[in-house]
């Protein structure tokens, strides 16, 4: 079935992080792009149509693959739970809605870092578990929205979520693996969906303001500014970009 949303025509549902990812790639003038995992290929369907120049797109898939001629130069089969070794280096690597589905997220982000040229950009999207319905569900039930117990489910057959992410957790992981310029991007969605969430967020807001004032460095101050944004506190989606350091020449 074909879905059409805001001028997008695709073989699958539209998600609000789609244009954000494309805007990041265009703003970074990425000409060589890796899509890992590529799924059924929404990025291939739309990247070339919106690109301002020549773009070469490669994909990595395991259980899902794009259609032939879907905008990918090459698609390989690989389990991103294990290190990924490629012959090319890319201007950008995109990882949409996957980091919460792997048991080794550090292996994944390190593989993407190695796939980037120095200065290249990684773009990661994942559900945000900091918004208040998710926090309340964790308080009452012990697990976040979308991260219910997966007892009896089988990897490769069922949708299994392993790790819930927030902006601070994702920032910590990317920093640990040497990424720089870690940025939270705005997603066009209602934030928050319910006015009660504004009231529930007041203690957090006060805490973030204190941390911003007491920050010992500009890096720490910027982190708390990002963590305090509506996208971090109330958004349902996280879209985070970061760069491989230009000084990073590791293989």
């Amino acid at each position: 079935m074909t879905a059409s949303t805001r001028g997008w025509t695709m073989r699958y549902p539209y998600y609000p992080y789609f244009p954000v990812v494309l805007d990041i790639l265009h703003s970074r003038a990425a000409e060589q792009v890796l899509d890992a995992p590529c799924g059924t290929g929404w990025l291939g369907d739309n990247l070339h149509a919106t690109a301002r120049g020549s773009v070469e797109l490669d994909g990595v898939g395991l259980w899902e693959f794009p259609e032939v001629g879907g905008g990918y130069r090459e698609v390989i089969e690989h389990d991103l739970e294990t290190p990924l070794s490629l012959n090319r280096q890319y201007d950008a690597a995109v990882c949409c809605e996957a980091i919460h589905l792997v048991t080794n997220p550090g292996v994944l982000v390190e593989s993407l870092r190695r796939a980037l040229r120095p200065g290249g950009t990684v773009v990661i999207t994942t559900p945000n578990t900091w918004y208040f319905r998710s926090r309340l569900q964790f308080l009452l039930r012990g697990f976040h929205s979308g991260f219910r117990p997966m007892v009896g489910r089988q990897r490769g057959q069922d949708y299994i979520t392993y790790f819930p992410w927030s902006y601070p957790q994702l920032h910590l992981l990317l920093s640990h693996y040497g990424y720089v310029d870690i940025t939270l991007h705005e997603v066009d969605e209602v934030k928050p969906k319910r006015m009660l969430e504004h009231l529930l967020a007041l203690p957090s807001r006060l805490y973030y303001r204190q941390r911003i004032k007491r920050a010992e460095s500009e890096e720490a101050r910027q982190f708390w500014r990002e963590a305090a944004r509506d996208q971090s506190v109330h958004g349902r989606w996280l879209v985070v970009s970061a760069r491989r350091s230009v000084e990073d020449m590791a293989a």
Side-chain angles (χ1 to χ4, degrees), residues 99 105-106 109 124 165 168-179:
I99 197 167
V109 299
I124 295 175
W165 293 95
Q169 285 179 297
L170 202 51
H171 187 284
L172 176 63
L173 183 72
L174 292 169
S175 297
H176 177 78
Y177 283 94
Y179 288 92

Side-chain angles (χ1 to χ4, degrees), residues 5 23 36 43 51 72 92 123 148 164 173 176 185 193 195 206 213 215 229:
T5 305
D23 286 346
L43 187 58
Y72 291 82
V123 183
R148 63 187 182 277
L173 183 72
H176 177 78
H185 296 267
K193 288 188 175 181
M195 291 306 298
L206 294 174
K213 291 179 180 179
R229 285 174 47 196

Side-chain angles (χ1 to χ4, degrees), residues 117-138:
R117 63 169 178 77
T121 297
V122 69
V123 183
I124 295 175
T125 81
T126 186
N128 181 24
T129 59
W130 252 23
Y131 73 95
F132 274 84
R133 176 184 169 187
S134 181
R135 294 193 195 192
L136 182 60
Q137 181 169 309
F138 184 81

Side-chain angles (χ1 to χ4, degrees), residues 9 11 29 63 85 88 94 105 124 130 149 154 221 233 247:
T9 302
R11 302 183 304 276
W63 296 297
S85 180
R88 298 187 179 98
V94 176
I124 295 175
W130 252 23
Q154 299 295 321
R221 187 172 295 107
V233 177
E247 288 82 20

Side-chain angles (χ1 to χ4, degrees), residues 47 53 80 84 116 125 127 133 152 154 158 163 169 225 237:
L47 182 59
L80 290 169
L84 175 66
L116 292 171
T125 81
R133 176 184 169 187
Q154 299 295 321
D158 302 302
F163 297 111
Q169 285 179 297
R225 288 189 187 117
W237 303 97

